[in-house]
Amino acid sequence: MTACPAPTADLLDRLAHLLGPSGILTAPSDTDPYCTDWRALYHGRTAAVLRPADTAELAQAVTLCAQAGVAMVPQGGNTSMVGGATPDDSGREVVICLSRMNRVRRIDPLDHTMEVEAGVTLKAAQDAAREAGLMLPLSISSEGSAQIGGVLATNAGGNNTVRYGNARELVLGLEVVLPDGSVFHGLRRLRKDNTGYALRQLFVGSEGTLGFITAAILQLQPQPRATEAALCAVADAKGALALFAAFRAQDPALIQAFEYMSGAGMDLVTRLVPGASLPLAEPAPAYVLVELATPRANADLRGALEDVLGAALEDGTVTDAVIAESEGQRMALWKLREEHAEAQRRAGASVKNDVSVPVSHVPELIDRATAACAALIPGIRPAPFGHIGDGNIHFNLVQPEGMDPAAFLALDHRIMDTVGAIVRDLDGSFSAEHGVGRLKPYMMPDWRGGAELATMRRIKDAIDPRGLLNPGAIFPPDTGNPARVTPDA
Amino acid sequence: MTACPAPTADLLDRLAHLLGPSGILTAPSDTDPYCTDWRALYHGRTAAVLRPADTAELAQAVTLCAQAGVAMVPQGGNTSMVGGATPDDSGREVVICLSRMNRVRRIDPLDHTMEVEAGVTLKAAQDAAREAGLMLPLSISSEGSAQIGGVLATNAGGNNTVRYGNARELVLGLEVVLPDGSVFHGLRRLRKDNTGYALRQLFVGSEGTLGFITAAILQLQPQPRATEAALCAVADAKGALALFAAFRAQDPALIQAFEYMSGAGMDLVTRLVPGASLPLAEPAPAYVLVELATPRANADLRGALEDVLGAALEDGTVTDAVIAESEGQRMALWKLREEHAEAQRRAGASVKNDVSVPVSHVPELIDRATAACAALIPGIRPAPFGHIGDGNIHFNLVQPEGMDPAAFLALDHRIMDTVGAIVRDLDGSFSAEHGVGRLKPYMMPDWRGGAELATMRRIKDAIDPRGLLNPGAIFPPDTGNPARVTPDA
């Protein structure tokens, strides 16, 4: 994809001299893992993976590459769901991985902030906050591998967004190496600072196309002193939404997570995943996993949960419910939610749609998309689940039983387009959490075209005029048919 | 300031034809109120004030002006503290005021969102949310006049930021007319949408230099079912901060407001403002006004307040406290805080500093800035107050008793520079809430220079290449000495 020149031997020599032996990988056996994305949709090549030790080294390496006009692909934990950090197969793009910059620089308890480098895994950052008696309120399934730089570059979401917002809302300050090697020193830990454009907000979610996020100041929260979780049987998504509204009317600040699961998805989990069983008397058309939490001692959190559940059982919104009586039971409830992806994998080929709509439209999304997909492929098994309180549903579809997986996957774009048309009709988004990456740029002109995409391009051209950073991500090629890649199961 | 041509008679004719008689003002007696800012620091002139009725009219008017190369100054309620919306005295800039676009378009209770046009006052938006049983959690002193467009263009803060964040955090979607008259249709009410750059975050806080915000989707909250307020006497800012930390450790979601007031400032209020009296046995070196609120019924909010206050009285952090026992008492406590500006006005000339530092540095800021100003002008009366939980202190200084006000004001920039140097040493900001406007661009190169200001300029040049929008705001002139304006008292 990149029109940039390959790095010359001289450039590679200079980079090796700058970064030292542990700072550059050139053998294909070493670089290969950096050239394939987590979903194995993209298989690229690179002449070098650069692994700078600190911001100064990175800035010098970027300056050298920029002077040579060489394209650079930033990479963190390489957990993108949309091929956001994979070089193309020309071998001309260098990968720059910040995993060696992995220090938690400081935690300020009075400010409720932490300063972390890009290469710290989200899990390590959570742990450091916890050891300081605080909480970093961001949690995603890949948190053991995903690194802060990528988490911020993609504005990660996850289970606690309903309470604390996306990654974007946690960022007070950023340090960024720009495409020319200059450094934006924005590591301020100010809650209020109205001095010009909010550059940090532009870099968050820009998927490595505008700069390398090297460090960040993140806002922390107190640790919860009490947590309660319940699994609730409901008639449908409308019932799930009514339950959400009831909990939110009580106190949105208590809702740590509010997850929807379809009856079909739950059936796959309990049948196919060892150790997963439904703790209710009988299966239901749909389920909610609600978790309440509060840092306040003696807040009668159990009472708060029972108040809403009791009223919902009485008025029929909830038909059955179980409250976790121990940490072990709470983890067992979460297992039912977290094993949805694994259960779908065991059930055969599946197609994923990470979509969002206004919260009020979720029931209509699920009803219409379920019917449309069934009409398209008889026997298809829709298993939607996810963050209903954010309007974010992972509308995944499992192949009909007995169908050839390859035949099913050959229809992937017809399925995605079917779901997409309904999402669009409901004023939704084709990518709620995962971003655009290399998988979805072809959708940008249709969904975000006109003045919106034109303005994004202007910004890209202003900050990275030669298009050196993460070519192929977010923006569709200017000419010709935008590329569509067929995802694996 | 603007190098753009004056509007021709032909352009004004076409604008008058487009906008109709109620859409354009040209008589100086009509346009004068739009040409002076709220603090009366700037006195400009304009050939026309345009008042479009809707987004389509605005887009056409902007197109006409852009085609003629005429500069445009967006204006909302004209309540800027930094001359953010005043045309220069060349008469060549037209003012575009969106106050006729004043509809609350819709409120979606299930989505917890409202769609409002730019010309709705913040107060009217709050009222509309309240009538729908919800709360727009943004409150500033000018809310009766300030309009949503300006509130978002300046990323307003205020008393509830400690709980709900700045205006920025409330914005889900925006509609913006760009400098060429094209329209960014981003009125999405999605809580999750990772499809390219977060343009709305760029326009929020851009002070009308990148586009006209015409409408927004704002996130709402449930109304509190209980509110408790207390005035607490503390030894100093360190004590105030210790009290804040105690309330936050209990539950940050309960802290609706947490305001610091100096003993000197309170003394001015109780001596100079009729009807203001201290409800404590004796004056203290410093005070905190804390307000807790929760939407949860039966949350024992009074108990939560008393728990923290009791412990703080016991360990000496708080030396005395009074809890409001009625709405009238609560309003009386707030009057002590809200009359700070009026009391300072009655005490003579004063100099204002809207600064922020990391929360942990507030005590050092107050101590050092108080000492430094006293050394500069013996008898000067520092009366700092404000949002200590956000690290945002209005470090205002009242003239010494008996000093000539003009002589005091002649020293305004020495005072501001003295405070500024300490703020900067503490990694703070020279404008926490009020923005840059025309008053503070000269500070940008020193405080936000290097790659940060260069990147802002690149963005400005990319989106508004001819510099037609709000010339003179945010960016210092490229050449010559940046202009400094001396504020009035």
Side-chain angles (χ1 to χ4, degrees):
Chain A
M1 275 188 208
T2 181
C4 301
T8 61
D10 174 60
L11 174 63
L12 292 175
D13 277 353
R14 294 171 70 183
L15 289 168
H17 181 74
L18 168 68
L19 301 170
S22 52
I24 184 165
L25 309 173
T26 51
S29 56
D30 291 333
T31 61
D32 275 354
Y34 297 85
C35 294
T36 296
D37 70 302
W38 187 78
R39 291 178 68 183
L41 302 179
Y42 299 89
H43 306 281
R45 291 189 305 126
T46 189
V49 173
L50 311 185
R51 302 172 68 246
D54 55 32
T55 300
E57 270 193 16
L58 171 65
Q60 291 175 65
V62 171
T63 301
L64 288 174
C65 290
Q67 285 167 349
V70 166
M72 298 163 265
V73 176
Q75 189 173 106
N78 199 14
T79 61
S80 175
M81 296 290 282
V82 290
T86 311
D88 69 11
D89 59 6
S90 70
R92 296 199 298 268
E93 301 172 352
V94 300
V95 174
I96 302 187
C97 180
L98 305 191
S99 56
R100 287 175 72 206
M101 296 172 56
N102 61 356
R103 284 186 313 137
V104 175
R105 291 184 185 165
R106 55 186 292 176
I107 295 180
D108 291 277
L110 209 44
D111 295 308
H112 263 212
T113 57
M114 73 190 306
E115 181 175 334
V116 284
E117 294 180 349
V120 175
T121 65
L122 177 53
K123 177 74 164 54
Q126 292 166 351
D127 290 347
R130 189 179 304 111
E131 279 161 30
L134 295 167
M135 175 177 64
L136 175 60
L138 186 69
S139 177
I140 57 178
S141 13
S142 58
E143 62 198 23
S145 307
Q147 296 170 8
I148 293 293
V151 162
L152 300 183
T154 59
N155 185 31
N159 290 338
N160 302 137
T161 305
V162 67
R163 170 67 182 89
Y164 301 102
N166 291 285
R168 174 180 307 291
E169 273 83 40
L170 310 180
V171 178
L172 289 184
L174 278 190
E175 183 183 77
V176 180
V177 173
L178 298 168
D180 63 358
S182 64
V183 182
F184 161 40
H185 297 284
L187 281 179
R188 298 192 279 271
R189 55 184 202 278
L190 302 174
R191 289 178 50 94
K192 286 187 175 171
D193 176 27
N194 280 344
T195 53
Y197 304 157
L199 295 186
R200 69 182 189 282
Q201 295 289 353
L202 184 61
F203 290 108
V204 171
S206 66
E207 304 193 25
T209 63
L210 297 177
F212 294 85
I213 295 173
T214 51
I217 306 279
L218 303 176
Q219 299 195 72
L220 303 176
Q221 293 283 335
Q223 281 177 19
R225 287 196 180 82
T227 302
E228 296 280 351
L231 181 71
C232 313
V234 293
D236 49 25
K238 205 170 163 186
L241 206 50
L243 185 62
F244 176 69
F247 274 108
R248 194 180 51 183
Q250 178 188 56
D251 188 355
L254 298 180
I255 308 175
Q256 196 79 350
F258 196 93
E259 298 285 306
Y260 171 85
M261 292 167 281
S262 67
M266 184 68 92
D267 180 59
L268 293 179
V269 171
T270 52
R271 280 199 295 116
L272 302 179
V273 177
S277 65
L278 187 69
L280 299 171
E282 52 190 66
Y287 303 88
V288 163
L289 174 54
V290 57
E291 185 165 291
L292 304 186
T294 178
R296 190 176 164 195
N298 314 316
D300 188 20
L301 192 67
R302 180 62 172 257
L305 179 65
E306 290 174 348
D307 281 353
V308 174
L309 280 188
L313 282 160
E314 200 157 312
D315 71 18
T317 304
V318 169
T319 53
D320 194 8
V322 56
I323 297 177
E325 298 289 350
S326 67
E327 180 64 10
Q329 285 186 12
R330 189 178 75 86
M331 298 311 294
L333 296 186
W334 272 105
K335 182 182 170 74
L336 296 172
R337 161 65 180 83
E338 282 161 0
E339 295 287 4
H340 263 61
E342 174 62 15
Q344 291 168 17
R345 195 187 63 77
R346 290 176 183 234
S350 64
V351 172
K352 301 176 196 295
N353 295 279
D354 168 41
V355 297
S356 64
V357 292
V359 175
S360 57
H361 291 348
V362 170
E364 188 176 348
L365 165 69
I366 291 179
D367 289 350
R368 286 174 59 183
T370 297
C373 290
L376 186 71
I377 304 178
I380 196 171
R381 290 173 287 174
F385 66 99
H387 321 298
I388 191 172
D390 294 315
N392 175 200
I393 296 295
H394 299 295
F395 200 88
N396 294 1
L397 298 120
V398 180
Q399 63 163 82
E401 291 197 67
M403 185 174 181
D404 173 43
F408 178 72
L409 286 177
L411 299 168
D412 60 349
H413 274 290
R414 289 188 62 188
I415 298 169
M416 290 193 281
D417 291 348
T418 298
V419 174
I422 295 161
V423 169
R424 189 147 176 208
D425 191 47
L426 295 172
D427 301 321
S429 171
F430 64 89
S431 188
E433 295 190 320
H434 297 164
V436 180
R438 283 162 183 74
L439 185 60
K440 299 180 178 177
Y442 76 92
M443 303 179 77
M444 290 292 283
D446 265 5
W447 289 68
R448 301 291 177 250
E452 183 165 7
L453 186 54
T455 302
M456 291 186 199
R457 272 191 198 279
R458 284 178 175 215
I459 293 168
K460 168 72 173 175
D461 291 344
I463 297 179
D464 182 19
R466 290 185 292 165
L468 299 182
L469 247 67
N470 214 10
I474 295 185
F475 295 95
D478 283 324
T479 54
N481 286 324
R484 284 169 75 130
V485 170
T486 291
D488 297 344
Chain B
M1 276 186 206
T2 182
C4 300
T8 61
D10 175 61
L11 174 63
L12 293 175
D13 277 352
R14 295 171 70 183
L15 288 167
H17 182 73
L18 167 69
L19 301 170
S22 53
I24 183 164
L25 308 174
T26 51
S29 56
D30 290 333
T31 61
D32 275 354
Y34 298 84
C35 294
T36 296
D37 69 302
W38 188 79
R39 291 178 67 184
L41 302 179
Y42 299 89
H43 306 280
R45 290 190 304 128
T46 189
V49 174
L50 311 185
R51 301 173 66 247
D54 55 32
T55 302
E57 270 194 15
L58 172 65
Q60 292 175 65
V62 171
T63 302
L64 288 174
C65 290
Q67 285 167 348
V70 167
M72 297 162 266
V73 176
Q75 189 173 107
N78 198 14
T79 61
S80 175
M81 297 290 283
V82 291
T86 311
D88 69 9
D89 59 7
S90 71
R92 295 199 298 268
E93 301 172 353
V94 301
V95 174
I96 302 186
C97 180
L98 305 190
S99 56
R100 287 176 71 206
M101 297 171 56
N102 62 355
R103 286 188 311 137
V104 175
R105 291 184 185 165
R106 55 187 290 178
I107 296 180
D108 292 276
L110 209 44
D111 295 308
H112 263 212
T113 56
M114 71 190 307
E115 181 175 334
V116 286
E117 295 180 349
V120 175
T121 65
L122 178 53
K123 178 72 164 51
Q126 291 167 351
D127 290 347
R130 190 178 304 112
E131 280 161 31
L134 296 167
M135 176 177 63
L136 175 62
L138 185 69
S139 177
I140 58 178
S141 15
S142 59
E143 62 199 24
S145 308
Q147 296 170 9
I148 292 294
V151 161
L152 299 183
T154 59
N155 186 31
N159 290 337
N160 302 137
T161 306
V162 67
R163 170 68 183 88
Y164 301 102
N166 291 286
R168 175 181 308 290
E169 272 84 39
L170 310 181
V171 178
L172 289 184
L174 278 190
E175 183 184 77
V176 180
V177 173
L178 298 168
D180 63 359
S182 64
V183 182
F184 160 41
H185 297 284
L187 282 180
R188 298 191 280 271
R189 55 183 203 277
L190 302 174
R191 289 179 49 93
K192 286 186 174 172
D193 176 28
N194 281 342
T195 53
Y197 303 157
L199 295 186
R200 69 181 189 282
Q201 295 289 352
L202 185 62
F203 290 109
V204 172
S206 66
E207 303 193 23
T209 63
L210 297 177
F212 294 83
I213 295 173
T214 51
I217 306 278
L218 303 177
Q219 299 194 73
L220 302 175
Q221 293 283 335
Q223 282 178 18
R225 287 197 181 81
T227 301
E228 297 280 351
L231 181 71
C232 312
V234 293
D236 49 24
K238 207 169 161 184
L241 206 51
L243 185 62
F244 176 68
F247 275 108
R248 192 179 51 184
Q250 179 188 56
D251 187 355
L254 298 181
I255 308 175
Q256 196 80 351
F258 196 93
E259 297 286 306
Y260 170 86
M261 292 166 280
S262 68
M266 184 69 91
D267 180 57
L268 293 179
V269 171
T270 53
R271 280 198 297 116
L272 302 179
V273 177
S277 65
L278 187 68
L280 298 172
E282 53 189 68
Y287 303 88
V288 163
L289 173 54
V290 57
E291 184 164 290
L292 303 187
T294 178
R296 190 177 162 193
N298 314 315
D300 189 19
L301 193 67
R302 181 62 172 259
L305 180 64
E306 289 175 348
D307 281 353
V308 174
L309 280 188
L313 282 161
E314 197 157 316
D315 71 18
T317 303
V318 168
T319 53
D320 195 7
V322 56
I323 298 177
E325 298 290 350
S326 66
E327 181 63 11
Q329 286 186 11
R330 189 177 75 85
M331 297 313 293
L333 295 186
W334 272 104
K335 182 181 169 72
L336 296 171
R337 162 65 181 81
E338 282 162 359
E339 294 288 4
H340 262 60
E342 173 63 15
Q344 290 168 17
R345 195 187 64 77
R346 291 176 182 233
S350 64
V351 172
K352 302 175 195 295
N353 294 278
D354 167 42
V355 297
S356 65
V357 293
V359 175
S360 57
H361 291 348
V362 170
E364 189 176 346
L365 165 69
I366 291 179
D367 289 351
R368 285 174 60 183
T370 297
C373 289
L376 185 71
I377 304 178
I380 196 170
R381 290 173 288 174
F385 65 99
H387 320 299
I388 191 172
D390 294 315
N392 175 200
I393 296 296
H394 299 296
F395 199 88
N396 293 2
L397 298 120
V398 180
Q399 63 164 81
E401 292 198 67
M403 186 174 181
D404 173 44
F408 178 72
L409 286 177
L411 299 168
D412 62 347
H413 274 290
R414 290 188 62 189
I415 298 169
M416 288 192 281
D417 290 348
T418 298
V419 174
I422 295 161
V423 169
R424 190 148 177 206
D425 191 48
L426 295 172
D427 301 321
S429 171
F430 64 89
S431 189
E433 295 190 319
H434 298 164
V436 179
R438 282 161 183 74
L439 185 61
K440 299 180 177 177
Y442 76 91
M443 302 179 78
M444 290 292 284
D446 265 6
W447 289 69
R448 301 292 177 250
E452 183 165 6
L453 185 54
T455 302
M456 291 186 200
R457 271 190 197 281
R458 283 179 178 215
I459 292 168
K460 167 73 173 174
D461 292 344
I463 297 179
D464 181 20
R466 290 184 292 165
L468 300 183
L469 248 66
N470 215 10
I474 295 185
F475 295 96
D478 283 326
T479 53
N481 286 324
R484 284 170 75 132
V485 169
T486 291
D488 299 342

